[in-house]
């Protein structure tokens, strides 16, 4: 099983959509391995968005991630990284397809509801960036055989 990092961005907290978005991941069958509310720091965001530091919107993006606390979560499942990226949809909420989280809840490039890790290497780094080891829980999901065939997990 893979672990992936999801951030419910401050826009999601502000709009009162935390429960709706968390519900989507739960209903999909992903297992919640960690979750907390935190005010992201400039240091964290410099690391997290390092690939965008030359972009003209870099400071604006960082500011938007600090307008209020965010909810950081770690979800677990078979192919969880790709599953969550597909659920999130295209980065620009205006282009994201209906049925995806961004397609259903966002009309903005920047205020696009969630961050989701994009690859196994980044997922591992991102989970470590936002969680201490003792904040990630491994527990036996009672209904695993209702979510997967026995040779899938
Ligand atoms: P990026 O890592 O490219 O996308 P994703 O979040 O889908 O992995 O970009 C990070 C965030 O930066 C993105 O969620 C929204 C914001 N952003 C803009 O505001 N304008 C842009 O043109 C791009 C590419 C991103």
């Amino acid at each position: 099983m893979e672990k992936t990092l999801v951030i419910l961005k401050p826009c999601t907290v502000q709009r009162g959509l935390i429960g709706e978005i968390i519900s989507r991941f739960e209903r999909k069958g992903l297992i919640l391995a960690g979750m907390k509310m935190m005010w992201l720091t400039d240091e964290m965001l410099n690391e997290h968005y390092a690939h965008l530091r030359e972009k003209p919107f870099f400071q604006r993006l960082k500011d938007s991630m600090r307008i209020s606390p965010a909810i950081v979560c770690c979800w677990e499942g078979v192919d969880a990284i790709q599953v969550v990226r597909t659920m999130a949809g295209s980065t620009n909420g205006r282009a994201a397809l209906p049925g995806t989280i961004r397609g259903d809840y966002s009309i903005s490039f920047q205020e696009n509801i969630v961050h989701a890790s994009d690859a196994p290497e980044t997922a591992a780094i991102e989970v470590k960036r936002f969680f201490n080891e003792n904040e990630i829980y491994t527990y036996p999901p009672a209904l695993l055989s209702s979510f997967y065939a026995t040779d899938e997990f």
Side-chain angles (χ1 to χ4, degrees):
M1 294 232 198
E2 279 179 352
K3 287 190 177 69
T4 189
L5 191 276
V6 173
I7 302 175
L8 307 192
K9 297 185 175 188
C11 59
T12 308
V13 174
Q14 293 284 328
R15 289 174 56 188
L17 293 173
I18 298 167
E20 285 199 36
I21 305 303
I22 299 285
S23 288
R24 286 194 169 216
F25 295 124
E26 285 186 313
R27 288 203 309 250
K28 180 67 176 171
L30 290 154
I31 299 160
L32 187 61
M35 180 161 75
K36 62 183 173 181
M37 190 173 209
M38 65 192 300
W39 215 304
L40 304 179
T41 65
D42 197 48
E43 200 181 358
M44 283 172 174
L45 291 166
N46 282 336
E47 275 184 25
H48 188 66
Y49 285 133
H51 61 293
L52 299 171
R53 71 180 163 265
E54 306 300 339
K55 300 284 186 193
F57 57 82
F58 182 59
Q59 188 60 46
R60 188 195 70 200
L61 169 65
K62 288 197 303 171
D63 290 346
S64 83
M65 293 295 285
R66 302 195 61 212
I67 54 168
S68 73
I71 307 289
V72 292
C73 8
C74 176
W75 292 94
E76 189 169 14
V78 174
D79 299 331
I81 298 161
Q82 191 51 52
V83 166
V84 170
R85 285 289 287 192
T86 303
M87 290 176 74
S90 305
T91 306
N92 183 345
R94 290 189 293 277
L97 293 176
T100 64
I101 291 169
R102 288 160 170 173
D104 287 351
Y105 294 97
S106 167
I107 195 159
S108 165
F109 219 139
Q110 176 178 279
E111 306 303 330
N112 62 1
I113 309 296
V114 287
H115 164 81
S117 305
D118 64 359
E121 311 75 54
T122 42
I125 292 168
E126 290 179 357
V127 170
K128 279 210 180 93
R129 177 173 299 136
F130 294 102
F131 286 100
N132 298 318
E133 254 172 50
N134 65 359
E135 294 172 323
I136 297 294
Y137 297 88
T138 303
Y139 50 95
L143 298 174
L144 211 52
S145 62
S146 300
F147 285 102
Y148 297 106
T150 48
D151 62 352
E152 283 183 306
F153 57 87

